[in-house]
Amino acid sequence: MTDPKACAGGGDAPAGPAAEAAAPCPPQLLAAYGVLDLISHAAWVFDIDHGRMVWANALALQIWNAPSLEELCGRDMRADMSPAVARRLRQYQQDFERSDARFNEQWTLYPNGQPRTLHMVFCGHRLADGRMALFCEAMDTRQQSDPESIRSVEALLHTEVMISMYGPRGRLLYRNPAARDRLPEPQQAGLHYIIDRQQRARLRTSLRRQGEARIVAQVQTLQGERWHEISVRRCRDAVTGVPAWLLSEVDVSDVKDAEGHARYLALHDPLTGLPNRSALVESFQPALDALGRAGRQAALLFIDLDHFKDINDSLGHSAGDQLLVEIARRLRSETRQSDLIARLGGDEFLVLVSAEDVVQEVSAPIERIRKSIAGSVMLGQTPVRVSSSVGVSIFPHDGQSIDELLRRADMAMYRVKERGRDGISRYSSDLAVKAQSRLTMEVELGSALENGELEVYYQPRLDVASRRIVGAEALVRWNHPRRGLVPPGEFIPLCEQSGLILAVGRFVLEQAMRQQVAWAARGWPLLISVNLSPRQLADAQLLDDFVDLLERTGADCRSLELEITESMLLGHDRQTVHMLEQLGQRGFRIAIDDFGTGYSNLAYLQRYPLQTLKIDRTFIQGIVDDSPITELIVSMCRILGLHMVAEGVETETQLQWLSSRGVHEYQGFLFSPPVPARRFEALLEAHP
């Protein structure tokens, strides 16, 4: 007993008459106990339900430091009673109700806060009202018990670790209070409450072979199903010497719940609740294996939302998240319970659809899914429609593993992107050849800079009125050792994807700066424009790199123009504004390239430090027959005071139209395609 004033005291006892609980015993009851006064050691009767003494002899009053029986019976022993002691007393009460049980144990009492270790004998005593009380006999053990023994007994009483000992044929020899409070009645060597029969069998096998075992198992307890870490080892009963098994158990349910939650989070997307990329091996692969055994087929759909970045940039990331949640809901509603769905990340989703003959049966569900995705979504006050690009791979024809199918569905999806988006494509072997070619090219690009295979070409920019060369656009070209001149459309996207664009962009800028200095020294003070990629503009080192190159080359930043696409202005990103302002303050001119092909708000043009607008070639090609949009762009540039450059001019008629509208400069095949620096110099000499 470990609580001050607690002898073997109660728990959450039922309420009783206050007078009966607090008052000492009446004389007639004391008379009934008169014979007990002859006992040579301390004895008392304890009301477990009310947590109060009913009777005590003189020696007991000394142990409890009580001046009188009335004072002792007036104490509320529950006030300082620990839950472990209360639990143990309830267990005694249950045993006394069932049988004439008798217990010999070592307890420590705390009368007035002072520890007193006693050897206790407990048995049941029925009170006058029929309730079961505790009769206690106490013998002082201060001379026999050492501190370690006392503390070990106390620890066994209060510990939450469940300890049990079983003898031959599973006979229960001992249970500490924690085990008694939680575990069911013993059967079959105490292992019957382990729910999984196979775990039970493995545990018994390990005990026979090694004499000990340790497992974490789901068990049936008096509180329901829980998870216990169970350790069992062979020992002997210290009383009889017979072989025995000692079990210690710890409830690890909270840990298992936390592990389960952590595992759920690791395998699911927190935004949509769908399985994530990590779940593919856990759920998709077993599903494929089961389909293979059943002789069924499946289609893996790789779904990518078209222009999702534009939603984030124009309406904000919270709107983008809202859209993803809605798409996930629609995917669930348009698929069967047997189909699997996952979100890979960003705007990419997977759906696994099974069928007897999937090639014949998959078209309808794919179309249904695409139509559902394309339905209007209200994001705040804005209605939005998004299309999707879907790549499809077939199990088992295109692969046996989820990795193979995912890779090939991804290839098919990118073919849809290349064809203009909003469509479906099934994987075919030619895509693998193309992918291998792209991979080879990416590897070769890594060494192209070091091997001197990259070269800067220059396309002349001419004044519309005088037809004189006033500038040039610097464009990178790749002279492949085997393939010859590789079209920019093939390798520039690879540079962007691989991150090599940062090194390539720096190379082009340095070459353009050196060329600007060289031409100025020869009497050709030209404005040279250089394209900036989105990755370059987002690079925190961009300004430092530019300043370093200016110092090393001696170039005049006022004669350098940096071209960005209008899609890079979407969302009015603070970092973009700040970077462009810093570049403008350094003296660089800023131009919008390919204007009219993006989705920018025209109001942005007033917010950014822009000097030049380059009209995309698509608006130049149709200006003779139908030119209202081009007319609008020209008028807008005049209002905003922007310098106008027309791209892709190929005919004299187009040039005349531009001249009549006051467009300042042009470039295009009418005068010259991009050419190496030496050929550009020849043009300068031929057109002074």
Side-chain angles (χ1 to χ4, degrees), residues 381-400:
Q381 301 299 315
T382 307
V384 173
R385 292 182 184 273
V386 291
S387 60
S388 59
S389 299
V390 181
V392 182
S393 58
I394 304 298
F395 168 84
H397 182 270
D398 297 329
Q400 300 279 339

Side-chain angles (χ1 to χ4, degrees), residues 589-608:
R589 293 172 60 87
I590 309 297
I592 294 186
D593 190 21
D594 300 331
F595 184 81
T597 60
Y599 302 89
S600 65
N601 185 330
L602 296 181
Y604 288 175
L605 299 178
Q606 300 180 74
R607 302 174 187 168
Y608 287 94

Side-chain angles (χ1 to χ4, degrees), residues 77-129:
M77 297 294 186
R78 293 172 299 184
D80 298 317
M81 186 178 295
S82 73
V85 169
R87 176 179 63 193
R88 186 58 171 155
L89 294 178
R90 284 294 179 193
Q91 291 172 359
Y92 287 145
Q93 192 177 43
Q94 292 167 10
D95 289 336
F96 298 151
E97 290 284 2
R98 290 195 295 258
S99 67
D100 296 330
R102 188 179 183 86
F103 296 96
N104 288 269
E105 295 181 358
Q106 178 176 293
W107 280 65
T108 299
L109 311 180
Y110 293 87
N112 297 330
Q114 297 301 313
R116 185 79 178 269
T117 300
L118 301 166
H119 179 80
M120 304 293 300
V121 179
F122 299 130
C123 61
H125 177 77
R126 187 76 65 180
L127 297 175
D129 60 5

Side-chain angles (χ1 to χ4, degrees), residues 141-156:
T141 61
R142 282 178 293 183
Q143 303 303 318
Q144 294 86 11
S145 299
D146 63 87
E148 283 299 314
S149 173
I150 294 171
R151 288 171 181 142
S152 65
V153 170
E154 287 292 282
L156 242 112

Side-chain angles (χ1 to χ4, degrees), residues 252-476:
V252 294
S253 300
D254 290 343
V255 175
K256 292 293 288 186
D257 289 345
E259 287 178 354
H261 184 60
R263 181 174 177 79
Y264 177 86
L265 293 178
L267 297 176
H268 288 78
D269 167 43
L271 178 64
T272 63
L274 293 177
N276 59 17
R277 182 181 290 272
S278 300
L280 296 184
V281 174
E282 298 282 341
S283 57
F284 278 60
Q285 188 59 55
L288 290 174
D289 295 340
L291 289 171
R293 290 191 295 270
R296 292 174 61 84
Q297 300 176 346
L300 184 68
L301 282 54
F302 193 122
I303 302 170
D304 184 273
L305 304 183
D306 298 330
H307 302 299
F308 176 73
K309 184 177 184 299
D310 295 345
I311 301 293
N312 276 338
D313 291 340
S314 58
L315 299 179
H317 286 275
S318 60
D321 289 347
Q322 183 184 343
L323 174 62
L324 292 173
V325 171
E326 175 59 19
I327 295 300
R329 187 196 67 77
R330 293 182 182 186
L331 287 176
R332 289 190 186 99
S333 67
E334 294 298 335
T335 52
R336 301 166 303 179
Q337 189 172 3
S338 59
D339 299 331
L340 297 180
I341 312 171
R343 180 189 174 205
L344 291 186
D347 59 345
E348 297 175 340
F349 295 86
L350 284 185
V351 178
L352 185 68
V353 181
S354 62
E356 294 292 341
D357 185 354
V358 75
V359 175
Q360 298 297 322
E361 300 176 39
V362 77
S363 298
I366 293 178
E367 257 326 301
R368 191 170 61 248
I369 288 171
R370 288 186 64 247
K371 286 182 180 178
S372 176
I373 291 174
S376 180
V377 181
M378 288 298 297
L379 301 181
Q381 301 299 315
T382 307
V384 173
R385 292 182 184 273
V386 291
S387 60
S388 59
S389 299
V390 181
V392 182
S393 58
I394 304 298
F395 168 84
H397 182 270
D398 297 329
Q400 300 279 339
S401 70
I402 186 61
D403 286 339
E404 289 178 302
L405 294 170
L406 176 60
R407 187 168 62 252
R408 289 170 178 175
D410 190 17
M411 292 180 197
M413 184 273 294
Y414 269 104
R415 177 157 62 186
V416 179
K417 294 287 189 184
E418 292 170 357
R419 292 174 176 175
R421 299 179 169 86
D422 191 17
I424 306 169
S425 176
R426 182 187 160 184
Y427 170 80
S428 58
S429 58
D430 65 294
L431 287 176
V433 174
K434 186 176 180 181
Q436 183 59 47
S437 175
R438 187 165 57 242
L439 179 61
T440 301
M441 185 181 293
E442 188 174 331
V443 172
E444 292 175 340
L445 260 175
S447 57
L449 265 175
E450 299 175 5
N451 298 339
E453 298 169 15
L454 297 185
E455 182 181 358
V456 178
Y457 277 38
Y458 300 88
Q459 183 169 37
R461 280 172 50 171
L462 294 91
D463 179 74
V464 171
S466 66
R467 307 288 181 96
R468 293 180 61 251
I469 300 174
V470 294
E473 180 177 359
L475 300 162
V476 67

Side-chain angles (χ1 to χ4, degrees), residues 72 131 183 198 276 367 374 401 419 557 567 572 581 675:
L72 180 60
R131 291 181 298 108
L183 299 179
Q198 293 184 345
N276 59 17
E367 257 326 301
S401 70
R419 292 174 176 175
C557 59
S567 62
H572 193 51
E581 286 176 345
V675 294

